[in-house]
Amino acid sequence: MRFLVIGGDAAGMSAASRAKRGMPDLQVTVLEQTHDVSYSACGMPYNIADSVRDMDDLVVRKAEVFRDKQHIDLRTGHRADSIQVKERKVTGKTRKGEDFEVSYDKLLIATGASPSIPRQPGFDLPGVLALKNLEDGRRIKRFMGERNVSRVVIVGMGYIGLEMCESLRARGIEVDMIKPGPVFLQWMNPELAAIVRKELDANRIGVHLGHEIVGIEKSDKGLRLLSKGPVLDCQMVLTAVGVLPNSQLADEAGLELGPRKSIAVDSALLTSDENIYAAGDCADAFHVVTGKRAWIPLALRANRAGWAVADNVTGKRAELQGVAGTAVFRVFDLEVARTGLSMSEAEKAGFEPAETVIHSRSRAHAHPGSTTISVQMVGDRKSGRLLGVQMVGKEGAVHRVNAPAVALHAGMTVEQFGQSDLAYAPPFSPVWDPMLTAANQLLKEM
């Protein structure tokens, strides 16, 4: 049997490796348009913070290992341009411009996502960069080194943009952030978002909200970002306004699409074609809280989905429960975490949400080093279900979010979660963990 994979990062190489292990005689071919496979994309902002560290340190496994040790036909520099569904073949071009054609019995589309680039003038100028793949990271580090960058403007305020603030400041670079929307972190409870904003202010990050961007032009200082508000001079502009699923191949092949034009898949990662799977940032998932389709591109889902595809291809039936949207990131000294639904998301999903915000301690009150940890918890008035949690603190937020994430997968009520037997010792938590305190307070609102 011929198993063809389009895309050689998390989902693609996870599927290819596991399929080959499970069925050694399987003919596995991977098409990757770049020359990089199997790398830690989430580590790129922290790599950029170190001017001497090689970006290739983030490579988990080199292409030669897949070819020589696992006997996977990995073809880098091969861009897939079309999927011929009836003929079960994929056509495309190499980086040298040569045409190629590969046939398949089972196909996995693992094409990932691409940065969303604003359409205003000047976003194609040298020095206007985005960060999504390893080559983007190399390009950014190379540009910063060659141009002696001292000021950067970040367009957008998502996860990558916030993480890059810390990396750039670590290199002594001044940073401004700007976006058209008037709300700093739209998905976050305003009380918690204000804490994150205060951390940016403390680290001298310029935050400019509610200013429509007009374009970018060259200036005597390098680049000038024009808006209906401040004019920001810099040497580099980083676009961080989000990503879009690379679903064009699937769409042109007639496959069904889901939210945000991601590729629609079932719990077994199968698309609307019985021989084609999709996994990773290009594909949708079912949300464990709403039961509805959602597009939440995150690393764990990509790897797990790749494994599930491999099992299904090799005859071991595998289905995935779904996602809760669990995400964590760091903003200087702050840990930020979330899982499940925000208040507005819960309302849109048809729940009758109630929320509480509590401010507790990361350790027992008398234990040295204890810091404030702020928690927002959302529950449904009708069913009593736990719907979501957000946390911000200097310690303890990131790992604590795993408990409500599991509770969401289990469909627990707020009351049931509040009865959970969570661990306690003074160096790690108050006797009433902030999670339990939040649950008890939320019950009063429901």
Side-chain angles (χ1 to χ4, degrees):
M1 185 167 65
R2 299 164 299 178
F3 179 36
L4 176 61
V5 179
I6 304 175
D9 197 10
M13 295 317 301
S14 293
S17 296
R18 189 174 176 91
K20 193 67 176 177
R21 286 195 302 269
M23 187 180 287
D25 293 335
L26 183 67
Q27 181 182 320
V28 180
T29 304
V30 180
L31 306 175
E32 167 55 45
Q33 65 178 352
T34 73
H35 288 288
D36 298 307
V37 295
S38 189
Y39 56 89
S40 175
C42 299
M44 291 191 293
Y46 307 103
N47 181 288
I48 290 170
D50 186 342
S51 61
V52 299
R53 186 181 170 195
D54 196 317
M55 188 61 66
D56 284 354
D57 285 352
L58 297 174
V59 174
V60 177
R61 189 175 297 174
K62 294 183 178 181
E64 293 76 17
V65 176
F66 291 105
R67 295 182 184 121
D68 300 338
K69 292 188 176 181
Q70 295 185 264
H71 307 294
I72 292 170
D73 183 7
L74 172 55
R75 306 181 188 182
T76 54
H78 282 61
R79 187 192 70 232
D81 291 330
S82 70
I83 301 170
Q84 312 296 324
V85 174
K86 290 182 179 179
E87 295 83 1
R88 294 192 197 175
K89 67 180 181 181
V90 171
T91 60
K93 284 187 179 293
T94 68
R95 282 202 167 183
K96 295 179 180 179
E98 300 166 341
D99 294 326
F100 69 83
E101 176 181 302
V102 185
S103 297
Y104 65 85
D105 295 301
K106 298 295 180 182
L107 172 67
L108 168 60
I109 303 173
T111 44
S114 293
S116 177
I117 307 298
R119 296 182 178 181
Q120 286 87 352
F123 275 84
D124 57 348
L125 287 171
V128 182
L129 304 168
L131 181 61
K132 185 62 177 72
N133 57 43
L134 213 56
E135 187 52 44
D136 292 333
R138 293 190 191 99
R139 194 176 297 115
I140 288 171
K141 292 193 82 166
R142 186 165 55 245
F143 187 89
M144 289 170 63
E146 293 173 351
R147 303 299 177 94
N148 194 26
V149 171
S150 62
R151 182 175 288 274
V152 172
V153 173
I154 299 175
V155 179
M157 299 180 191
Y159 298 166
I160 295 296
L162 290 167
E163 289 176 334
M164 281 299 297
C165 286
E166 179 183 348
S167 296
L168 294 168
R169 292 297 292 125
R171 295 183 61 164
I173 295 171
E174 300 296 320
V175 181
D176 285 291
M177 304 184 83
I178 187 169
K179 75 171 194 173
V183 181
F184 172 50
L185 290 174
Q186 194 166 5
W187 56 269
M188 181 174 270
N189 172 272
E191 206 170 326
L192 271 61
I195 299 171
V196 180
R197 172 68 188 270
K198 186 177 179 180
E199 185 72 8
L200 292 177
D201 292 342
N203 286 278
R204 304 195 312 276
I205 303 297
V207 179
H208 309 278
L209 299 167
H211 300 296
E212 182 182 342
I213 295 166
V214 176
I216 302 171
E217 63 182 21
K218 293 181 179 180
S219 73
D220 55 351
K221 295 183 179 180
L223 295 170
R224 177 172 292 145
L225 185 138
L226 308 173
S227 74
K228 293 183 178 179
V231 173
L232 301 173
D233 286 307
C234 60
Q235 291 80 46
M236 188 177 90
V237 174
L238 180 70
T239 61
V241 297
V243 295
L244 297 171
N246 291 328
S247 58
Q248 299 91 334
L249 278 174
D251 190 19
E252 291 169 2
L255 302 181
E256 290 181 11
L257 300 184
R260 301 283 302 275
K261 294 187 176 181
S262 57
I263 305 170
V265 296
D266 64 13
S267 58
L269 288 308
L270 197 63
T271 69
S272 53
D273 184 284
E274 63 181 359
N275 296 306
I276 302 178
Y277 296 85
D281 291 357
C282 63
D284 70 4
F286 289 95
H287 201 290
V288 296
V289 178
T290 67
K292 299 175 182 177
R293 292 184 179 275
W295 183 61
I296 306 176
L298 292 170
L300 176 58
R301 167 70 182 191
N303 284 276
R304 177 176 284 148
W307 279 18
V309 170
D311 287 349
N312 286 314
V313 167
T314 56
K316 301 175 185 176
R317 178 69 178 174
E319 295 188 31
L320 298 185
Q321 182 183 10
V323 297
T326 308
V328 297
F329 59 98
R330 191 175 75 187
V331 182
F332 293 98
D333 290 333
L334 277 183
E335 297 179 5
V336 184
R338 68 169 299 187
T339 189
L341 306 180
S342 66
M343 278 291 285
S344 60
E345 290 167 343
E347 289 169 353
K348 289 177 183 177
F351 294 103
E352 290 186 15
E355 73 172 331
T356 191
V357 176
I358 63 106
H359 305 282
S360 183
R361 306 297 294 174
S362 62
R363 309 179 188 183
H365 78 281
H367 197 85
S370 179
T371 60
T372 301
I373 183 166
S374 301
V375 181
Q376 181 242 23
M377 187 173 286
V378 181
D380 181 35
R381 296 180 192 274
K382 278 185 178 179
S383 64
R385 282 180 64 190
L386 178 67
L387 299 180
V389 171
Q390 299 176 4
M391 275 183 284
V392 175
K394 290 187 180 291
E395 68 168 8
V398 164
H399 292 297
R400 272 189 173 92
V401 81
N402 288 326
V406 172
L408 294 176
H409 278 269
M412 293 175 71
T413 65
V414 175
E415 185 174 11
Q416 288 170 334
F417 183 62
Q419 291 293 323
S420 298
D421 186 16
L422 302 185
Y424 160 67
F428 308 111
S429 172
V431 65
W432 286 95
D433 188 271
M435 295 288 89
L436 302 180
T437 301
N440 291 335
Q441 290 300 314
L442 180 56
L443 285 172
K444 298 175 184 178
E445 304 294 329
M446 296 171 64

